[in-house]
Amino acid sequence: MAFIHYFTILTSLLLLLNRPDSASATTRKLAALVRPPPLTLKYHNGPLLNGNVTVSLLWYGKFSPTQRSIIADFIQSLNAPHAPTPSVASWWQTTERYKFGSGSGSTVILGSQILDENYSLGKSLTTSQIIELASKSQRKNSIHVVLTAEDVTVDGFCMSRCGIHGSGFSDPKNKREKFAYAWTPPLVAPNGDVGVDGMVINLATVLTGTVTNPFNNGYFQGPETAPLEAVTACTGMFGSGSYPGYAGSVLVDKSTGASYNSQGVNGRKYLLPAMWDPKTSTCKTLV
């Protein structure tokens, strides 16, 4: 069983953390006076993913070893029990509050990594080509993630849609074997490697949606053709006091000035989006 995922996030959402705005304090005070109604993602009685879920990566285009390690460390941080708090693992634990039937949530495992540095399908891709790339990984019961380099364009990226997901078959003649894929493009940022940090946000969004709504009949709000899911229902929210349009207060690394709200393996720090908590019907942040 599997699922299809590709999701993106606009760079402007990242810039909200650092962009000064003279009216922002007043806006936040006014917004705090208005309590939004509880956000509810309806459960549509479909299966969720539990147990061990392997994430295989296909790197399409040129990525440095450092960039690849940032993503790999993030995946390994999802179930790292001894990372400093607030941790990536504690963020992922919110998925355990969803109805997994007899299961107890998902344990994400880093699988194989394939490098396609020669752009085998060119530098301009269609959705069907993303699926073709994802199918190169033959591992069953895994999520196949396609990560495209900054010089690769994908048809319709944040024009007609920024992300959808569904299911696909590794062999069209065999309707019993499905595979999952994800497409995550980088985001161009003015400093550091925020582009790869943006990929982490995309990947976090994709993995959460995959686990809680793998076949378009799990948890979501709205039409299944354009659903709001566990993280996309909380767009642009990263820290305490956040609401749609304001990212909230996050932690700041004293040595680099970078914004973050979670920590992972190998001393990594990440900025992870809020996730809808089914027990409180609110968008939950780590800080």
Side-chain angles (χ1 to χ4, degrees):
M1 302 294 288
F3 21 83
I4 297 175
H5 262 291
Y6 46 99
F7 191 89
T8 59
I9 189 169
L10 295 174
T11 309
S12 59
L13 297 179
L14 291 176
L15 298 181
L16 283 173
L17 294 173
N18 298 313
R19 189 179 67 181
D21 187 343
S22 59
S24 61
T26 302
T27 302
R28 289 197 294 274
K29 288 180 180 178
L30 291 175
L33 298 177
V34 180
R35 288 186 176 274
L39 174 65
T40 301
L41 302 189
K42 181 181 178 181
Y43 177 48
H44 295 77
N45 300 314
L48 310 186
L49 299 182
N50 58 16
N52 292 337
V53 178
T54 301
V55 176
S56 301
L57 305 177
L58 187 146
W59 301 90
Y60 191 81
K62 305 290 185 180
F63 290 89
S64 70
T66 299
Q67 290 175 321
R68 295 198 299 269
S69 67
I70 292 172
I71 299 294
D73 284 347
F74 167 68
I75 293 174
Q76 294 183 90
S77 297
L78 289 169
N79 296 107
H82 303 300
T85 58
S87 67
V88 173
S90 61
W91 176 83
W92 184 250
Q93 285 173 357
T94 300
T95 63
E96 297 177 4
R97 298 190 172 197
Y98 290 71
K99 296 178 180 179
F100 280 91
S102 59
S104 58
S106 298
T107 299
V108 178
I109 301 170
L110 179 63
S112 62
Q113 299 189 54
I114 300 174
L115 303 183
D116 188 342
E117 296 183 320
N118 295 321
Y119 306 90
S120 61
L121 298 180
K123 293 186 176 183
S124 180
L125 303 178
T126 63
T127 300
S128 61
Q129 288 175 315
I130 292 292
I131 300 174
E132 179 182 344
L133 290 169
S135 66
K136 289 185 176 182
S137 176
Q138 297 300 315
R139 187 184 184 99
K140 296 180 180 180
N141 299 322
S142 67
I143 302 172
H144 305 173
V145 180
V146 177
L147 303 106
T148 54
E150 61 183 354
D151 56 348
V152 176
T153 61
V154 177
D155 182 43
F157 169 45
C158 273
M159 294 179 183
S160 61
R161 77 275 194 283
C162 283
I164 61 175
H165 76 83
S167 331
F169 299 98
S170 53
D171 182 355
K173 296 180 180 179
N174 185 350
K175 299 300 183 180
R176 293 184 178 181
E177 292 188 6
K178 293 181 179 180
F179 72 91
Y181 75 83
W183 160 53
T184 304
L187 301 177
V188 179
N191 52 34
D193 206 338
V194 180
V196 175
D197 285 332
M199 294 184 87
V200 170
I201 295 174
N202 295 343
L203 187 54
T205 302
V206 163
L207 292 178
T208 307
T210 298
V211 166
T212 60
N213 188 31
F215 306 110
N216 290 332
N217 56 6
Y219 282 88
F220 67 88
Q221 181 189 81
E224 64 178 59
T225 54
L228 288 178
E229 298 179 317
V231 171
T232 56
C234 306
T235 297
M237 303 170 71
F238 294 89
S240 60
S242 61
Y243 53 83
Y246 170 57
S249 299
V250 297
L251 303 176
V252 177
D253 188 304
K254 294 181 180 180
S255 61
T256 65
S259 299
Y260 72 98
N261 61 8
S262 58
Q263 302 180 80
V265 300
N266 299 322
R268 296 288 188 193
K269 295 179 179 179
Y270 297 102
L271 186 63
L272 298 180
M275 187 190 309
W276 183 73
D277 187 334
K279 288 194 173 182
T280 62
S281 294
T282 60
C283 290
K284 181 181 178 180
T285 61
L286 282 174
V287 297

